[in-house]
Amino acid sequence: QVQLVESGGGLVQAGGSLRLSCAASGRTFSSYAMGWFRQAPGKEREFVAAIRWSDGNTYYRDSVKGRFTISRDNARNTVYLQMNSLKPEDTAVYYCAACRSWSSIALLTTTPDAYDSWGQGTQVTVSS
């Protein structure tokens, strides 16, 4: 089992930046990919970004491409989400997730069920 702890959320004005961190412990060596999802009030949880642990390939939802960057620090078992040029529509609870075994990119970039472990979430609020 992988334990995930997010940090770095907060309140920021539109156009500002935040960096989220996700520290993983436990059986991280077996994680195939890590992802970030978000959920706004009254909406479904949606994919934001993912990184494949073995080769560092990254994937993003269209609305965050060019603004958000996912990265990893293997030595610290930590995944980051650098968020720049934030918009009010980015306001949500952001969740870190780990996928333990192989999954298609299609599932990793669309389906929360493709992931096995989840963090508790961190609130990101962007004011206009």
Side-chain angles (χ1 to χ4, degrees), residues 46 48 57 69 102:
E46 65 180 19
V48 176
N57 281 0
T69 302
W102 183 91

Side-chain angles (χ1 to χ4, degrees), residues 33-38 46-52 57-61 64 68-71 79-82 94-97 108-109 115:
M34 301 284 290
W36 287 95
F37 283 72
R38 66 187 181 187
E46 65 180 19
F47 168 77
V48 176
I51 186 166
R52 199 160 54 190
N57 281 0
T58 57
Y59 310 90
Y60 300 93
R61 71 178 298 107
V64 307
F68 290 12
T69 302
I70 188 171
S71 62
V79 174
Y80 303 99
L81 185 67
Q82 178 66 44
Y94 283 69
Y95 297 90
C96 176
L108 284 176
T109 57
Y115 294 81

Side-chain angles (χ1 to χ4, degrees), residues 2-75:
V2 176
Q3 291 79 45
L4 306 173
V5 178
E6 303 104 331
S7 61
L11 172 64
V12 64
Q13 288 187 332
S17 299
L18 284 173
R19 187 176 82 155
L20 306 183
S21 300
C22 174
S25 60
R27 297 181 58 190
T28 55
F29 66 88
S30 64
S31 291
Y32 175 74
M34 301 284 290
W36 287 95
F37 283 72
R38 66 187 181 187
Q39 189 166 19
K43 295 189 176 181
E44 293 187 352
R45 192 167 298 191
E46 65 180 19
F47 168 77
V48 176
I51 186 166
R52 199 160 54 190
W53 205 258
S54 59
D55 57 15
N57 281 0
T58 57
Y59 310 90
Y60 300 93
R61 71 178 298 107
D62 287 345
S63 62
V64 307
K65 286 180 181 177
R67 299 189 298 124
F68 290 12
T69 302
I70 188 171
S71 62
R72 74 192 196 285
D73 184 333
N74 289 7

Side-chain angles (χ1 to χ4, degrees), residues 18 84 109 127-128:
L18 284 173
N84 299 328
T109 57
S127 63
S128 57

